[in-house]
């Protein structure tokens, strides 16, 4: 329906994607309005009403269940471009004449109101936080799910998150029963005081006034109570309300451009749908989804690099040692950060903030490589969109994974590149116990957990990993593309949903600074292809800027890549044959040099050169055609003997050179041509015979 609209209207792709989420009747209505009021290339004045209708139909109806009479302050008329920020009126006071609840306790209500004093207006959030530090397992659940679903990153303050971390760490250290102990409040407060004194946590200042009333609410006379299941339900409601608030604030905000608003709104809708299906459970839950419901949920697959890299799916960049993996990863990072074509070929739809965690490449080579890639794109800098971190985490360490999540949220990262991942597999807290990288369940769960943390935080993880030694040797012999099964160790192939695998098609030449690579890309989303990439870096020149190096890439795809590969294989095969011939010739010449001046018999040459008689005959024939060797004969030789020697440096004076060389190539012995007396002395000899 919106194909023409997507191609002819500025920003039409994002708007059509948004419109596709609406019911068919609303799509027709809005499309008619767009055609009536919007000129080609401009739809700014209509974008807000479209998003308003989307917010009403998809978000509010689906999750709040009031399609007939939505609050006017939340969803205005379609012709209104922005929301009215006037909050809804307070609910009417209860009728004084109504019958009082006999179970109501005015004194208890007063105590509850006192406990809420000094806290924010959102009672559900503080009730949830109070329960979290009293119910085993709820603190860690709240902490994890807030990191996953809180798009605004303001739902829970830093101090409150750190309070949840303290409670969760105490439970992990002493067991869930610690929270049921009578002295649990004193233990928790003591742990908080220790953290404050150590300076480990940052809520010692302005955050503490928000923590102290929360502790009073949890452990005071009017303390809240609940179970883990009740906490999950309360957490689901809090997260849903937070996402609704973020979507509403985004639509009314002047800080976002149109594409940014579409992106945030799509994420909010997707998170709301996930919450409806999964709830706020963590890990394996007692909930499932029917196929009808699954197919009925709209799903959008965004691509960070067209035909190469899908968003929110774990990816791996694989290749041999010193096989251009890191260079390809940095090219990808700069392309993502700047919105320029990856390898000057694959389109990047929009720039995204990217984090590169690297530990192999030294600072100076990394800087020079980045500058060369920027120069090839005619850019001077990336700005704030590309971040480099040269400290390696341990993917087996939960604390390091939490720091990665914090980095993603702090800098609003959308892509994280881990290079190389093999240095991040050891657990720094495992007391030196090595990780068995060949154990599929261990490595697979490790990589899956780390990748899921990144995805839940809003970033696409990309792991750079090595090719196994055996596969590297086998692929190098045939110059074949790398496959997922060639990755060293276990776990990465089964877990990663997409891949970029490189291998040398033509080895790197340090003289010219050129090489040619196989690039095998694919993914579970259906994208994929086999490409050849010609890389030109130039020769090393110490006296020039960037040592004279550059970065130019040329990509061939499909039939072109296959044809280039076939030519490369033919050239390689021919080169191998020529190398073998040259080596055989050198061995024969060496045997003759070390032999006596009168020459050697063919069988003795074969023995000295380490080859059989037939091979020696073929090699000697080639050398004879080049006149590097000549036939010779001695007086005591038998007629059927074949004796050879190196060609003398000069021919006798007065000889017809051309005629003599022609006879030598025919196999006439040197002595027959230039020393007839010696030749005639051979028993049964014939001066012109070539049989002996």
């Amino acid at each position: 329906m919106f194909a023409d609209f997507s191609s002819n209207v500025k920003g039409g792709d994002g708007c059509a994607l948004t419109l596709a989420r609406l019911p068919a009747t609303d799509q027709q209505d809005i499309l008619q309005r767009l055609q009536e009021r919007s000129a080609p290339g401009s739809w700014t004045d209509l974008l807000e009403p479209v998003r308003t209708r989307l917010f009403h139909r998809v978000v509010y109806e689906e999750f709040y269940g009031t399609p007939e009479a939505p609050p006017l302050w939340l969803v205005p008329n379609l012709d209104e471009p922005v929301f009215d920020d006037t909050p809804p009126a307070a609910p009417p006071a209860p009728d004084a004449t109504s019958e009082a609840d006999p179970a109501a306790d005015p004194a208890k209500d007063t105590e509850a109101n006192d406990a809420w004093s000094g806290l924010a207006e959102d009672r559900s959030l503080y009730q949830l936080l109070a329960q979290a530090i009293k119910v085993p397992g709820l603190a860690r659940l709240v902490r994890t799910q807030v990191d996953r679903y809180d798009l605004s990153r303001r739902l829970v303050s830093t101090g409150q998150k750190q309070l949840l971390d303290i409670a969760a760490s105490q439970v992990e250290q002493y067991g869930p029963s610690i929270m049921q102990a009578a002295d649990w409040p004193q233990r928790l407060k003591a742990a908080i005081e220790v953290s404050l004194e150590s300076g480990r946590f940052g809520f010692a200042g302005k955050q503490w006034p928000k923590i102290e009333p929360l502790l009073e609410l949890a452990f005071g006379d009017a303390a809240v109570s609940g179970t883990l299941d009740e906490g999950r339900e309360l957490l689901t409601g809090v997260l849903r309300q937070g996402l609704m608030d973020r979507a509403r604030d985004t639509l009314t905000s002047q800080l976002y451009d149109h594409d940014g608003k579409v992106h945030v709104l799509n994420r909010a809708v997707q998170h709301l749908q996930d919450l409806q299906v999964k709830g706020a459970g963590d890990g394996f839950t007692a909930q499932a989804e029917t196929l009808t419901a699954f197919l009925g949920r709209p799903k959008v697959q965004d691509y960070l690099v067209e035909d190469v890299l899908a968003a929110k799916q774990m990816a791996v960049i694989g290749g041999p040692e010193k096989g251009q993996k890191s260079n390809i990863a940095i090219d990808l990072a700069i392309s993502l950060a700047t919105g320029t074509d990856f390898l000057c070929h694959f389109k990047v739809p929009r720039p995204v903030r990217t984090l590169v965690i690297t530990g192999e490449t030294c600072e100076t080579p990394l800087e020079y490589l980045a500058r060369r890639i920027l120069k090839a794109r005619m850019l001077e800098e990336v700005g704030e969109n590309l971040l480099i971190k040269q400290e390696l985490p341990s993917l087996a360490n939960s604390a390091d994974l939490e720091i990665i999540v914090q980095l993603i949220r702090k800098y609003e990262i959308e892509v994280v590149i881990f290079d190389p991942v093999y240095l991040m597999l050891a657990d720094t807290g495992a007391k030196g116990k090595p990780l068995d990288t060949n154990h599929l369940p261990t490595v697979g769960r490790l990589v899956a957990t780390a990748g899921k943390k990144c995805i839940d935080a809003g970033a696409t993880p990309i792991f750079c990993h090595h090719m196994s030694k055996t596969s590297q040797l086998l692929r190098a012999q045939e110059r074949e593309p790398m496959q997922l099964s060639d990755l060293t160790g276990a776990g990465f192939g089964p877990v990663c949903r997409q891949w970029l695998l490189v291998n040398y098609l033509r080895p790197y030449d340090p003289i010219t600074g050129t090489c040619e690579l196989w690039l095998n890309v694919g993914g579970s989303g259906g994208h994929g292809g086999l490409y050849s990439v010609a890389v030109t870096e130039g020769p090393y020149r110490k006296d020039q800027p960037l040592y004279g190096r550059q970065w130019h890439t040329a990509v061939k795809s499909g039939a072109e890549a296959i044809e280039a590969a076939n030519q490369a294989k033919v050239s390689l095969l021919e080169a191998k044959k020529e190398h073998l011939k040259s080596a055989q010739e050198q061995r024969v010449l060496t045997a003759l040099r070390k032999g006596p001046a009168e020459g050697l018999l063919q069988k003795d040459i074969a023995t000295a050169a380490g080859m059989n008689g037939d091979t020696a005959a073929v090699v000697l024939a080639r050398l004879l055609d080049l006149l590097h060797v000549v036939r010779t004969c001695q007086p005591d030789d038998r007629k059927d003997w074949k004796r050879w020697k190196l060609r003398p440096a000069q021919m006798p004076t007065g000889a017809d050179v051309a005629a003599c060389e022609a006879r030598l190539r025919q196999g006439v012995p040197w002595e027959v041509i230039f020393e007839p007396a010696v030749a005639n002395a051979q028993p049964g000899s014939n001066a012109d015979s070539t049989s002996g």
Side-chain angles (χ1 to χ4, degrees), residues 631-649:
R631 291 284 305 278
T632 183
C633 59
Q634 296 298 321
D636 56 346
D637 284 351
R638 289 169 45 186
K639 184 177 181 180
D640 59 340
W641 281 3
K642 296 181 179 180
R643 187 183 294 273
W644 299 81
K645 70 176 182 179
L646 295 175
R647 173 186 171 177

Side-chain angles (χ1 to χ4, degrees), residues 574-640:
E574 292 177 352
K576 287 183 176 179
K577 290 181 178 178
E578 291 299 323
H579 178 74
L580 178 60
K581 289 180 180 179
S582 177
Q584 292 174 339
E585 291 170 0
Q586 290 300 322
R587 285 154 56 187
V588 168
L589 293 174
T590 300
L592 289 173
R593 289 191 191 98
K594 294 181 177 180
E598 60 271 15
L600 289 174
L601 296 175
Q602 182 173 303
K603 61 179 183 179
D604 297 329
I605 295 174
T607 302
M611 59 185 68
N612 59 46
D614 293 338
T615 303
V618 172
V619 175
L620 286 167
R622 290 202 306 267
L623 292 173
L624 177 63
D625 188 62
L626 298 172
L627 290 182
H628 291 166
V629 299
V630 294
R631 291 284 305 278
T632 183
C633 59
Q634 296 298 321
D636 56 346
D637 284 351
R638 289 169 45 186
K639 184 177 181 180
D640 59 340

Side-chain angles (χ1 to χ4, degrees), residues 304-309 316-317 324-349 373 377 417 462 499-502 517 519-521 531 533 551-556:
L304 301 170
V305 181
E306 292 182 3
D307 302 325
V308 173
L309 185 66
V316 59
I317 298 178
Q324 302 284 343
K325 289 188 308 299
S326 296
N327 291 5
I328 296 295
I330 297 299
D331 187 296
L332 175 61
I334 292 178
S335 299
L336 291 170
T338 59
T340 55
D341 293 352
F342 172 48
L343 296 176
C344 297
H345 181 82
F346 302 100
K347 300 296 181 183
V348 176
I373 296 174
R377 286 163 171 71
I417 299 177
I462 303 175
W499 54 89
L500 294 84
L501 307 177
V502 298
L517 304 172
L519 177 61
N520 180 12
V521 301
Y531 306 88
V533 184
W551 180 261
H552 294 295
T553 56
V555 178
K556 295 180 181 178

Side-chain angles (χ1 to χ4, degrees), residues 439-488:
H439 190 241
L440 178 60
T442 301
V443 179
R445 181 173 290 274
L446 197 69
V447 176
T449 301
K452 190 172 186 297
K453 287 277 187 181
C454 295
I455 293 173
D456 291 342
T460 301
I462 303 175
F463 303 102
C464 295
H465 199 39
H466 282 81
M467 195 177 187
S468 68
K469 296 285 188 180
T470 302
S471 298
Q472 184 172 336
L473 293 173
L474 293 176
R475 299 294 183 195
Q477 290 176 358
E478 300 297 330
R479 298 300 173 195
E480 294 179 343
M482 180 181 175
Q483 304 297 327
L484 274 176
S485 57
D486 297 332
L487 292 169
T488 185

Side-chain angles (χ1 to χ4, degrees), residues 224-240:
V224 297
S225 60
T227 64
L228 182 60
D229 290 338
E230 293 173 347
R232 284 198 181 102
E233 294 181 3
L234 187 57
L235 174 58
T236 301
V238 168
L239 293 174
R240 180 183 290 118

Side-chain angles (χ1 to χ4, degrees), residues 161-225:
K161 290 180 181 179
Q162 292 165 347
L163 175 64
L164 295 175
D165 286 338
I166 293 174
S169 63
Q170 292 290 310
V171 172
E172 291 169 358
Q173 183 176 358
Y174 298 105
S177 60
I178 186 65
M179 301 185 79
Q180 307 301 327
D183 61 344
W184 168 237
Q186 289 74 23
R187 283 176 175 265
L188 181 59
K189 291 179 181 179
I192 293 173
E193 292 174 358
V194 171
S195 299
L196 288 173
E197 293 174 358
S198 65
R200 180 182 176 187
F201 294 105
F203 60 76
K206 61 181 180 180
Q207 297 288 347
W208 179 247
K210 297 181 180 180
I211 301 300
E212 193 171 20
L214 184 57
L215 295 175
E216 179 64 24
L217 180 65
F219 302 116
D221 295 334
V224 297
S225 60

Side-chain angles (χ1 to χ4, degrees), residues 53 252 391 462 686:
R53 178 65 67 88
T252 60
E391 299 172 344
I462 303 175
N686 185 340

